[in-house]
Amino acid sequence: MLREIKINAPLYEALVQHYHKNPRSFHVPGHRFGGGLQPPWNDYYRDILKLDVTELADTDNLHQAEGVIQEAQQLAADCFKADETYFLVGGSTSGNVAMILAVCNPGDMIIVQRNVHKSVLNGIILAGARAVFLTPQEDEKSGLSTVPSLQDVEDALERHPEVKAVFMSTPNYYGMAVDVASYAELAHRYECALLVDEAHGAHFGFHPAFPASALHAGADAVVQSTHKTLTAMTMGAMLHVKGDRLRKDALRQALAMVQSSSPSYPLMASIDIARAMVDTYGEQLFDGGLNAAEHFKNVMDQKAPAFRYLGEQAADSSLPWRLDPLRAVVWDGTGTLSGYELLKELERQGCWAEMADSKRVVLLFGISASYEDVEALAAVFAEIGKQHGLDTKNQINETRLSVFDQYRYDRISAPVILSRVIPDERSIETVPLYLAANRQSAELVIPYPPGIPVLYQGELITDGIIAVLTNLAEHGAVCQGIADSSLTSLRVYKKG
Amino acid sequence: MLREIKINAPLYEALVQHYHKNPRSFHVPGHRFGGGLQPPWNDYYRDILKLDVTELADTDNLHQAEGVIQEAQQLAADCFKADETYFLVGGSTSGNVAMILAVCNPGDMIIVQRNVHKSVLNGIILAGARAVFLTPQEDEKSGLSTVPSLQDVEDALERHPEVKAVFMSTPNYYGMAVDVASYAELAHRYECALLVDEAHGAHFGFHPAFPASALHAGADAVVQSTHKTLTAMTMGAMLHVKGDRLRKDALRQALAMVQSSSPSYPLMASIDIARAMVDTYGEQLFDGGLNAAEHFKNVMDQKAPAFRYLGEQAADSSLPWRLDPLRAVVWDGTGTLSGYELLKELERQGCWAEMADSKRVVLLFGISASYEDVEALAAVFAEIGKQHGLDTKNQINETRLSVFDQYRYDRISAPVILSRVIPDERSIETVPLYLAANRQSAELVIPYPPGIPVLYQGELITDGIIAVLTNLAEHGAVCQGIADSSLTSLRVYKKG
């Protein structure tokens, strides 16, 4: 019975009901239920614009929710086991920024892993916070980075008792998810909030095959992209809060600062629907996608044996993580095709991947990939293998370029004040990399691979960082968006 | 011929074409062209989700536009006569914040009128800028506020030669639009940028009946809500830039900070379509709405004579403004019904207004209101008039509560540092209003009417401000969201 009550989507239904009243609109938006849009441009918009309204007595107000939006958010909080859930119309971007604004007053300190989404850095900049960056751990086999070690977080907390929050990102883009329970416990022991960017894990916790969600593990606030792995429209996301380590007034203020004052109703209703789908179907919602993902690997083993993919980790690993089974990370085991080339080849044959790095492509199956989809995908891989003669080539030994571990540089940065001020040419100079020690970097340095920032604008350059960058440059890593992409020189602030 | 070329909507068409390739999606969003959404929840979403994709080779990238988004933005720039146009997926909110971030480094000074949208204040807070607030001028007849006088802006510029930008909002919510040409000239003479929030004026300049747009008048950057008066989906907006007073790198950085890294394609394509509609139909796009608006007033005069509405200003007025003919500001001339009551009565009879203040309702006709729409609306007004016996009552003399002008307080504030830090209870105290002079306000005070901030959090309380607040309180103005809504006391920061 409970389930039957829960399958309501109160916000969506309120929009439908409002439309069915045949209301005459003398308000924004200007298209007036789509009537203003002339053919042929209304082809795809005709239906959705019937729900594209504004704050009315029937439709509540996201920034002061007291009606159907509050109801929808409450149902989401129940579903995701949060104390409070906020719908986000600006994507996980807006949630990440808002979490940091809510916790950090200007000058406050926050611990952050280096491998975070840009929105986290933007949040730190806008908050005027000081960041202590922690180097993430690398998975031994794949070389992919997850989260910093518990020991490094504790050392950083010991070194900086004034820290307000620890910020983690998990799962990473490859679907590797770390259990944050011990991190939550640690943060709370030091009277800090644990904030988690779980953008890629909106489905976590809803099926035994999935990792647990960060909120269940004890995080204080968690951002999830409802559009990425559930069914919301793009930009639809949620912020879940548990406990009272985040001030609610500060959080509400922050959310109002970073989101539109005219939030999109079709977008918000699609978040409501995404939650209703989970409540209605439960585990079954994911069975189809899970079976397809499993089937994909079986077919690949048979038909495209040259390709390898990221598998679950050995149980005895020193760095435990679990794999999101609804995505596949695939690469050419012969080392012939780069990830970028693979992505292009897939596209050429009608299969569009989520992303590529220098080695791998990442593929999402989501909840609706079918057997037919994954068989077609595997057939394309097989075709690519044939075209490039991969099946007759030898598999290469997997060597991994260890980015951070082989040099004993401090995995805990000095506190950095990130600034959005674009450096004045007169205040900076270019120095050879080997002479950059103890200077303040004027650029953000993100070598590819591995795509993790080694140096932030404003960060003090240490000998350890120079060693890491030298190593990366020698192995052919490239940095886009900086003056010297070969990494033989750096732009630093002039002294004094 | 040119027009025929221009009616393309390249972004929209690229999405349609991509969908027609029958691509297999292994990427976000998780609904995969809507296939993941189960009935009945896909009723209104079925079509639009076919366009809800992510950054792909076919679909460009808003934050680094080089393909169809750049093309669409270039067509918009041509149409709106900008040097560059940026599509906004976070509404005018994101554009206002981005403009200020782009111009103001922390500590920089900006001149701002008091009656701005909250997003402007949020932009100032996030930028860490210092604001000099200017009191807007009041229209003599209606008492409604427009923009500060040219003289006050010049005085403020003289007083603070370090000012980086002047921020204006026009038209106001009532559709009163001021020509900013002389303000632009003034700002440029002082080497400042003129930034304009023209959220309600996306249609300006496209019909002789409309006021000119701020960009044509010489503003350096202008934000428009394409969804408010053109046909974009809610949250769709544009930022137009002309000249080089805004640094493009700073602007791009700011836009990436305040907008989702996964912007909605249906939203962006709807902005593209809105521009294509203007290019295709030209002036004719607005003829229907304009005729309906004109017809509305004629019918009202005949059928609902108790009601009055804001008309064009006398040509010899000392404060010139023009009225947006696509909206109507209506009130009960007998003074019986408040604006809020009127809004409720209209709703009860199926007509939904844009907003109400204590006296008036604001109604938007947009481009698609028909004769039938406005006749139905006028009939409802007539019915309300009958029910409340308004037609037999005397019209009251219009007295206007002069908020700012009758006290000789400084219309130019001292520079204020706005802070998002929620005041600690231990750092503030409550004092009677008459003892608040020379203290720093710990609250934002917005009396209704007129709904314009008289005091910002952090602003120094002057004798003039106390006089204004006393006057407002005596006339029954109420302040929501502060400790003492009756305005007999204020919360201020403790001394020292």
Side-chain angles (χ1 to χ4, degrees), chain B residues 59 202 260 295 299 347 361:
Chain B
T59 59
S260 173
H295 186 58
V299 183
E347 275 178 14
V361 289

Side-chain angles (χ1 to χ4, degrees), chain A residues 28 45 104 227 253 266 354 420, chain B residues 28 30 45 104 253 266 354 420:
Chain A
V28 295
Y45 286 89
C104 292
H227 65 92
Q253 173 184 276
E354 172 67 13
R420 63 183 176 81
Chain B
V28 296
Y45 286 89
C104 292
Q253 173 185 277
E354 172 67 13
R420 62 184 177 80

Side-chain angles (χ1 to χ4, degrees), chain A residues 158-203:
Chain A
E158 275 296 320
R159 208 179 285 181
H160 303 290
E162 70 270 43
V163 160
K164 290 290 176 66
V166 175
F167 195 106
M168 296 177 75
S169 285
T170 180
N172 64 15
Y173 217 145
Y174 302 90
M176 298 155 76
V178 172
D179 183 349
V180 301
S182 50
Y183 293 86
E185 202 190 314
L186 174 65
H188 297 163
R189 200 167 354 115
Y190 283 81
E191 291 178 5
C192 281
L194 179 67
L195 314 178
V196 179
D197 174 359
E198 197 174 47
H200 300 287
H203 56 304

Side-chain angles (χ1 to χ4, degrees), chain A residues 117-181:
Chain A
H117 186 257
K118 228 174 171 182
S119 59
V120 177
L121 305 178
N122 289 336
I124 293 168
I125 291 171
L126 292 172
R130 288 176 299 157
V132 172
F133 288 104
L134 302 191
T135 301
Q137 302 167 96
E138 285 175 15
D139 175 53
E140 292 147 30
K141 216 166 143 191
S142 65
L144 294 170
S145 292
T146 59
V147 300
S149 73
L150 197 64
Q151 187 60 54
D152 281 351
V153 177
E154 180 150 17
D155 288 351
L157 286 165
E158 275 296 320
R159 208 179 285 181
H160 303 290
E162 70 270 43
V163 160
K164 290 290 176 66
V166 175
F167 195 106
M168 296 177 75
S169 285
T170 180
N172 64 15
Y173 217 145
Y174 302 90
M176 298 155 76
V178 172
D179 183 349
V180 301

